[in-house]
Amino acid sequence: MRTRITVPDDSLTRLRIALTVFFALDGFVFAGWVVRIPAIKERTGASASALGLALLGVSAGAVITMMLTGRLCRRYGTHRVTVVCAVLLSLSVALPPLTHSAVTLGAVLLIFGAAYGSINVAFNSAAVDLVGALRRPIMPSFHAAFSLGGMLGAGLGGLVAGALSPTRHLFGLTVIGLLVTAVAGRTLLRIPAPTPSQDVPRQASAPRSPGSRTRGLVVTFGLIALCTAYGEGALADWSALHLEHDLDATPGVAAVGYSCFALAMTIGRLTGTRLLERLGQTRTLVGGGATAALGMLLGALAPSVWAALLGFMITGLGLANLFPVAVERAGRLAGPDGVAIASTLGYGGMLLGPPAIGFMADWFSLPAALTSVAALAATAAVIALLTRRAAG
C-alpha cells in the first residue's frame, strides 16, 4: 500500500531550487565574513590570542543553538525556521565591523554563530524531507551549492577588499541576504514540507522520539560527520603552512593548496547524486573515506609541492560526500533532532581539527600531524562498513 506525496511534483522542483539557494546563500555570507577577518582584527586592535578567543564566539553560538533548533523545527516546521534563521544570519553578518574591541566582537559573533548553526540544522532537515519524498540521493547537490556559494563569497570578498571597508562590504552582504531570503523564502513558506511515500524505508518517516538504538545510530553517523569535518578544518588552517614551511612553496602557491581541496570537494558533491545512485550509501562512505585517507597520506608526506597538491585534491574528492550522507541518514532516522546531533558532532570535528593539528605539530611535526586527517577518514570508512546492516 502506498500513500501519495502531499506536494505536487512541480512544487517539489521549486522547493529543491529554493533550498539550493539557501544553501548557497549560507556559504556566500559565511565566506564573505571570513575574508574580512584580518581587516576587522586591525579595526578592533585585538591581539592574535584575543582574536582567537573572539572567533570562538561563532563556534559557541552554533553549538549552543543547534540542538534547540531541532526542537524548533519540530514545533514550527523546517521551512519557517529556515527563513527566520536566514534573516538573522543576514542581519548579524553586518555587526562585526561595528565593534571596537575583542570582547564586543566575541559577543556579536555569538549571535552570528547562533544564526549560522541554526540555519544549517533547519535547511538540512528540510532537505532530508525532500530527499525522502523524491527518493533520490540528492543531498550532496545541496552541499555543493554551499561550497559554490562559499567560493563565490570568498572571490567577491577578495575583489572588493581593496575598494570597500568591512562595514560597507558586510552591510552589502546583509542587503543581498535579505533580498535573496525575500525571494526564495516566499517559495519555501508557500510549500509544505513533503511527506515521503509509505514504501520508503521506515526511517524516512523520521520518528520524533528516537529510541536508544536509533539514537546510537544517529551518533554513529555524527561521528562520520566529525571525521569529515575534522579534515576540512585542518586543511583550511594548515595546508598553506605545510606547503610553505615544509615544502618551500612560495606564498602564492601555498595559498592554492586549500583552493585545490575546496574545488575537488565541490566537484565531488556535484557528482555525488550519480555516485550514490550507482554505488549506494555504504559503498560511497567506505570508498570516500578510503580515498580521502590515501589522498591525505600523499598530501602530508609527499616530497614535492605538486604531489602534495594532488593529494589535497584526492582528499577533497574522498571527503566530499561523507558529511552530506551522514547528515541525511541521521535526519531520516530521527528527524530534525538527528540532523542537530550529527551537525553538532560534525561542527565539533571542525573545531577540534585545527588546534589538534597544532598540538601534534609541536610534539612531532606538521606532516606527521596532518596524517591524523587520513586516520580519521579511514575511521569513517570503518564505521560505515561495520554499521552497514544496522543502518540499512
Side-chain angles (χ1 to χ4, degrees), residues 32-69:
W33 139 250
V34 167
V35 298
R36 300 317 295 258
I37 290 177
I40 293 173
K41 175 183 181 296
E42 183 178 351
R43 173 166 295 197
T44 59
S47 64
S49 58
L51 177 66
L53 290 174
L55 292 176
L56 283 177
V58 178
S59 308
V63 170
I64 290 171
T65 57
M66 277 180 169
M67 295 305 299
L68 174 62
T69 306

Side-chain angles (χ1 to χ4, degrees), residues 20-201:
T20 299
V21 169
F22 277 110
F23 272 84
L25 176 66
D26 187 43
F28 178 80
V29 170
F30 190 79
W33 139 250
V34 167
V35 298
R36 300 317 295 258
I37 290 177
I40 293 173
K41 175 183 181 296
E42 183 178 351
R43 173 166 295 197
T44 59
S47 64
S49 58
L51 177 66
L53 290 174
L55 292 176
L56 283 177
V58 178
S59 308
V63 170
I64 290 171
T65 57
M66 277 180 169
M67 295 305 299
L68 174 62
T69 306
R71 291 192 286 271
L72 292 175
C73 286
R74 290 203 317 273
R75 181 169 182 177
Y76 299 106
T78 57
H79 294 184
R80 289 182 181 178
V81 177
T82 296
V83 173
V84 171
C85 290
V87 172
L88 293 176
L89 182 72
S90 300
L91 293 174
S92 61
V93 76
L95 298 178
L98 303 180
T99 61
H100 299 286
S101 70
V103 174
T104 54
L105 177 62
V108 300
L109 289 180
L110 275 171
I111 301 172
F112 179 69
Y116 177 73
S118 296
I119 193 173
N120 273 269
V121 171
F123 60 37
N124 271 296
S125 299
V128 168
D129 290 338
L130 181 58
V131 169
L134 291 175
R135 302 184 62 191
R136 289 194 65 211
I138 61 170
M139 198 69 170
S141 68
F142 293 120
H143 289 258
F146 173 85
S147 299
L148 289 171
M151 294 173 67
L152 179 60
L156 179 63
L159 288 175
V160 305
L164 294 179
S165 67
T167 303
R168 291 184 177 181
H169 175 204
L170 297 186
F171 180 74
L173 295 186
T174 293
V175 174
I176 293 171
L178 292 176
L179 289 175
V180 171
T181 300
V183 175
R186 288 185 64 188
T187 299
L188 206 59
L189 293 175
R190 288 179 176 179
I191 302 175
T195 302
S197 57
Q198 196 170 347
D199 58 333
V200 180

